[in-house]
Structure formats: structure tokens, C-alpha cells
Amino acid sequence: MAEGDLIRIIPHRGADDNCGSFEVWFADGRKSVRFYWDNLVSRRLSPNTLTREQAIERATALARAEMDKLDNSE
């Protein structure tokens, strides 16, 4: 992650290695988007909680889509 990136994916770990989130951060001041994950099914209390693989896929897809918008606007 280089300084000056317009969009970053920032991983956050939870209390253990089985949960956390991926934050899609925007340099232009827009509100970050977080994708929460927990690999233990018994702890997935919210329907928005994903597996780690699903969370990184969604974060990456959002970041790529937003970068494409920036590239096409120039």
C-alpha cells in the first residue's frame, strides 16, 4: 500500500485469527466501507457477516470498480 493511493484495502483483525474486517478506504474523504468476516459459523450473528474469502472478494471488487470509475473520468 503506497502513500498517495486513492483507494486502499485495510485489513483489521478481531480478537482472534478467525474474525475481522476489510476496510475499503477512499482518499477523497468518502466514508469507508467495511466488510466484516468471521470464519466460525456459530459466531455469525449478523446476516452481513461473511467468510474471510467472501469479504476479501467483495472488498477487492468494490475497490476495482471505484478505481475504474476514476480511470474513466480522466
Side-chain angles (χ1 to χ4, degrees), residues 14-33:
D16 56 36
D17 289 338
N18 289 313
C19 63
S21 67
F22 291 101
E23 175 184 5
V24 181
W25 177 87
F26 304 99
D28 62 5
R30 285 183 281 167
K31 187 175 179 178
S32 293
V33 177

Side-chain angles (χ1 to χ4, degrees), residues 9-65:
I9 297 176
I10 304 169
H12 299 278
R13 287 287 181 176
D16 56 36
D17 289 338
N18 289 313
C19 63
S21 67
F22 291 101
E23 175 184 5
V24 181
W25 177 87
F26 304 99
D28 62 5
R30 285 183 281 167
K31 187 175 179 178
S32 293
V33 177
R34 284 190 182 228
F35 296 90
Y36 294 94
W37 61 273
D38 197 325
N39 284 335
L40 299 178
V41 177
S42 61
R43 292 194 311 206
R44 284 189 217 144
L45 302 176
S46 169
N48 297 328
T49 305
L50 309 165
T51 66
R52 184 180 192 285
E53 292 77 23
Q54 291 170 324
I56 192 64
E57 285 174 11
R58 291 190 187 180
T60 303
L62 175 62
R64 282 189 182 142

